[in-house]
């Protein structure tokens, strides 16, 4: 024994224990985030922290820790076009962290509240470094099916950017595969968003009629998350139509569409209740038009009873 330490590395005091691996990792992640927030060295702190995180975030437990300590937001400012070799390496490792986090739902949920997508697109437009382009495209591919990312990608012109990238002489097979997958995924989403854009235009203009999309289950399943845009703008316009329109078809369709939202959105009843829809729709249950009464009743039933039971009552 020497200096109170036994040969196997444990303290001679039997009550002392080695710190667990998880505690060590938590302390390390906290310290790395502190270096990103307030670097202790102007040139070394941030690159060193990102280099470590690019390795540590391969572990699921570390990803959870990183989200818990609010580390994700620290990455976003580092995603910007790079010129020097050092800044290219920093950019690469930052984007590598984004790719690793794209496999963890809690991190993706946080990323959806940031400007990560415009920054990634800006990087991929201006970068010629193959490893940077690869990790950015692979990150974007993973995020394509999550939340409202697809709509952002299309708004940012990513389909055209992907076409341009595919025309370049890349040698990395992972990059080529990711570009092909991303191109296919964007085309599929473009079709879905196109149908939603048509629907959105109808609603915003107040020109509602019984076009096929209203009663198409696939339209609602594929586009239900799009209703969350701009703080549920479409639902708010539907409520305005219900309050103010004299067009019986528009009233009936608005009630029906509101009932469809209740059926397909996982938080539909909470969202619609927050919009104070109940009393506004109930007024139409005494409307002189039978079609308006029928769809107002369906909407109220789904609001009170839930989608499945309300549908049963309609049969």
């Amino acid at each position: 024994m020497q200096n109170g330490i036994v040969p196997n590395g444990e303290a001679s005091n039997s009550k002392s224990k080695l710190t667990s691996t998880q505690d060590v990792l938590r302390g390390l992640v906290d310290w790395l985030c502190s270096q990103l927030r307030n670097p202790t060295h102007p040139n070394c702190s941030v690159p060193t922290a990102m280099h470590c995180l690019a390795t540590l975030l391969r572990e699921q437990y570390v990803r959870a820790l990183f989200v818990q300590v609010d580390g994700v937001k620290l990455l976003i400012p580092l995603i910007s076009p790079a010129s020097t070799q050092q800044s290219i390496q920093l950019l690469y490792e930052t984007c590598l962290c984004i790719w690793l986090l794209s496999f963890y739902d809690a991190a993706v949920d946080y990323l959806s509240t940031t400007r990560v997508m415009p920054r990634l697109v800006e990087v991929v437009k201006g970068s010629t470094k193959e490893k940077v382009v690869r990790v950015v495209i692979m990150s974007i591919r993973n995020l394509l099916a999550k939340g409202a990312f697809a709509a952002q990608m299309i708004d940012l012109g990513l389909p055209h950017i992907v076409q341009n990238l595919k025309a370049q002489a890349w040698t990395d097979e992972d990059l080529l595969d990711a570009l092909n997958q991303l191109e296919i995924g964007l085309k599929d989403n473009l079709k879905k968003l196109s149908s939603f854009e048509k629907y959105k235009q109808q609603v915003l203009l107040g020109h509602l009629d019984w076009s096929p999309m209203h009663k198409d289950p696939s339209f609602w399943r594929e586009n239900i998350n799009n209703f969350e845009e701009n703080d549920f703008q479409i639902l708010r316009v539907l409520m305005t139509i219900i309050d103010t329109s004299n067009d019986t078809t528009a009233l009936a369709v608005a009630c029906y569409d509101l009932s469809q939202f209740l059926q397909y959105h996982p938080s539909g009843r909470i969202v619609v209740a927050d919009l104070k829809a109940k009393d506004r729709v109930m007024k139409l249950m005494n409307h002189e038009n039978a079609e308006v009464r029928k769809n107002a009743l369906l909407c109220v039933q789904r609001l009170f009873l839930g989608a499945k039971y309300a549908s049963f009552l309609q049969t």
Side-chain angles (χ1 to χ4, degrees), residues 38-57:
N38 299 296
T40 55
H41 190 283
N43 299 320
C44 298
S45 292
V46 172
T48 301
M50 290 311 308
H51 182 70
C52 294
L53 285 168
T55 300
L56 291 170
L57 287 172

Side-chain angles (χ1 to χ4, degrees), residues 275-290:
L275 291 174
K276 298 179 171 43
K278 181 187 71 172
D279 293 340
R280 298 153 83 176
V281 177
M282 285 183 72
K283 291 178 182 177
L284 297 180
M285 290 172 61
N286 296 318
H287 197 277
E288 60 185 15
N289 182 272

Side-chain angles (χ1 to χ4, degrees), residues 21 32 39 47 97 130 150 160 184 192 198 201 246 267 292 306:
T21 302
L32 292 171
C97 288
E130 191 166 43
H160 181 65
I184 293 168
K192 295 173 188 175
K198 292 175 185 175
Q201 193 70 11
N246 295 318
S267 303
V292 174

